[in-house]
Amino acid sequence: MDKSKKAALLFRLLAVAATVSASIVMATSHQTTVVFNVAIEAKYSQTPAFRFFIIANAVASIHGILILFLPPKGLLWRVVVALDLVVVMLLVSSLSAAGAIAQVGKKGNNYAGWMPICDQVKAFCDHVLGALIAGVIGLLIYFGLLLHSIHTVLNPLLLKD
């Protein structure tokens, strides 16, 4: 196995680790606090964008694990390039949605009358931030793997007669 394939394998393992950790950290984010004798509960499951984030990272993790078992040569790798692109788009969309909701939770929205909640449920917001950071790392690694796959499998720079 040459250096390029070993590096790709290592980065695939890192991408799986990042997406699995993003899913786990987001799934364990919950906190209950009492403000003015009113219990406030913040959980990832209350927000569809956070659930989408978990599902998208889980799909990316499963994709990364399945790719590890493919033989190194074959026509199936052309499909892997397309699936890598789909995974990158899925991660971008889930990260964007979860990031937008996290921003509203942190800053609120004065025009809509939404108050920020991160002052009351700091541990929940810290978990969400950690999950988003792990998600960004996973996205960047998958994007690099997509570029590597395009270069090695499709080889667009070589002009064939």
Side-chain angles (χ1 to χ4, degrees):
M1 189 182 283
D2 64 340
K3 285 186 179 184
S4 175
K5 290 180 183 177
K6 285 183 182 179
L9 177 68
L10 174 67
F11 281 114
R12 288 224 181 254
L13 289 173
L14 288 173
V16 168
T19 53
V20 165
S21 62
S23 293
I24 290 172
V25 171
M26 183 65 84
T28 59
S29 62
H30 57 75
Q31 183 181 0
T32 304
T33 187
V34 177
V35 178
F36 300 118
N37 290 330
V38 176
I40 296 174
E41 183 180 32
K43 295 189 322 187
Y44 82 93
S45 61
Q46 296 170 335
T47 308
F50 291 162
R51 285 183 288 185
F52 175 50
F53 180 80
I54 290 174
I55 291 168
N57 278 283
V59 167
S61 300
I62 291 169
H63 166 74
I65 291 170
L66 291 177
I67 296 302
L68 294 175
F69 295 109
L70 285 179
K73 298 203 182 233
L75 291 176
L76 197 56
W77 279 95
R78 291 181 181 266
V79 176
V80 170
V81 174
L83 290 175
D84 281 346
L85 179 63
V86 170
V87 166
V88 167
M89 290 188 304
L90 186 65
L91 289 175
V92 166
S93 64
S94 70
L95 191 61
S96 299
I101 295 301
Q103 180 66 17
V104 169
K106 182 178 179 181
K107 301 282 186 181
N109 187 335
N110 293 334
Y111 300 108
W114 299 335
M115 302 297 294
I117 64 162
C118 284
D119 294 337
Q120 286 79 25
V121 286
K122 184 153 179 52
F124 172 75
C125 291
D126 290 344
H127 261 83
V128 169
L129 178 63
L132 291 176
I133 290 170
V136 167
I137 292 169
L139 170 65
L140 292 174
I141 295 171
Y142 268 114
F143 184 71
L145 285 169
L146 172 65
L147 294 177
H148 180 265
S149 296
I150 289 171
H151 177 70
T152 58
V153 174
L154 300 179
N155 211 352
L157 298 178
L158 285 181
L159 299 175
K160 295 180 182 178
D161 293 331

